[in-house]
Amino acid sequence: MEKTVEKLYGNKVRVRVCGLLKHQDSLLLAKLHWGNNTLWAPPGGGVEFGEDTITALKREFREETGLEVMPGRLQFVCEYLKPPLHAIELFFNIDKYYGTIVTGKDPEMEANSQLIKNVEFVTFEQLRVMKGVRHGIFDFVDQPAEIMGLNGYFKL
């Protein structure tokens, strides 16, 4: 599986869009698993050539969560640079959503090699103790709920 991730996403800069969907004291996260790695991260994915970022974010949410979303403002940018992976991630607030959450599929992966294992609202308290298996952007805040107030550029 790790070779598949490296083959698909490695040795190039990938522009990604991610959505911050807060509901009460929770944030919608996708549980990703490959090889021995697990990561809980806001839903999102790569922008395709010729596709604007808002359209990409709506598509990624539909693919990964089954939800139709109305993205809000750009909140912050996170750069992940750990060769062979390099991603520029644009995090947007999600203002509204419609539908029922389902664990979606990543169309770039084979059916038996899906990275997405679960999609659910995770409370900020649960997220606080998930160190090591949550997106690195959470390391820039003292409390996970503060993610909603981040602005600017962050490098992992």
Side-chain angles (χ1 to χ4, degrees):
M1 175 73 77
E2 290 183 38
K3 292 288 184 197
T4 303
V5 170
E6 184 175 329
K7 183 179 176 184
L8 284 172
Y9 308 123
N11 301 306
K12 58 188 166 194
V13 178
R14 186 166 187 238
V15 177
R16 298 184 75 249
V17 288
C18 304
L20 299 172
L21 176 49
K22 181 179 180 271
H23 179 72
Q24 296 175 353
D25 68 341
S26 300
L27 190 65
L28 186 65
L29 298 177
K31 180 182 182 183
L32 310 174
H33 185 78
W34 67 100
N36 294 323
N37 302 300
T38 297
L39 178 70
W40 285 88
V47 177
E48 296 175 1
F49 181 79
E51 182 179 44
D52 67 75
T53 55
I54 298 302
T55 300
L57 185 57
K58 289 178 177 182
R59 175 183 50 77
E60 286 292 339
F61 253 81
R62 194 174 322 105
E63 290 172 356
E64 292 187 6
T65 72
L67 297 176
E68 297 294 330
V69 297
M70 299 294 295
R73 73 181 190 89
L74 175 65
Q75 188 74 28
F76 56 87
V77 176
C78 181
E79 185 169 13
Y80 180 87
L81 181 53
K82 294 194 172 126
L85 301 178
H86 186 181
I88 308 293
E89 299 176 307
L90 309 173
F91 283 80
F92 289 84
N93 285 334
I94 301 298
D95 288 342
K96 295 180 183 174
Y97 68 97
Y98 309 93
T100 303
I101 296 171
V102 297
T103 299
K105 304 276 187 238
D106 190 336
E108 295 138 332
M109 305 297 287
E110 298 291 328
N112 62 346
S113 301
Q114 287 292 309
L115 298 177
I116 303 167
K117 301 302 180 190
N118 193 18
V119 177
E120 65 182 76
F121 279 102
V122 176
T123 68
F124 289 118
E125 182 58 29
Q126 290 171 311
L127 194 51
R128 186 180 63 75
V129 298
M130 292 173 116
K131 293 181 181 178
V133 295
R134 63 186 187 186
H135 191 289
I137 194 63
F138 291 100
D139 295 339
F140 290 94
V141 294
D142 290 327
Q143 296 296 321
E146 295 171 358
I147 194 86
M148 302 309 292
L150 278 184
N151 290 293
Y153 165 82
F154 301 89
K155 183 178 177 186
L156 299 177

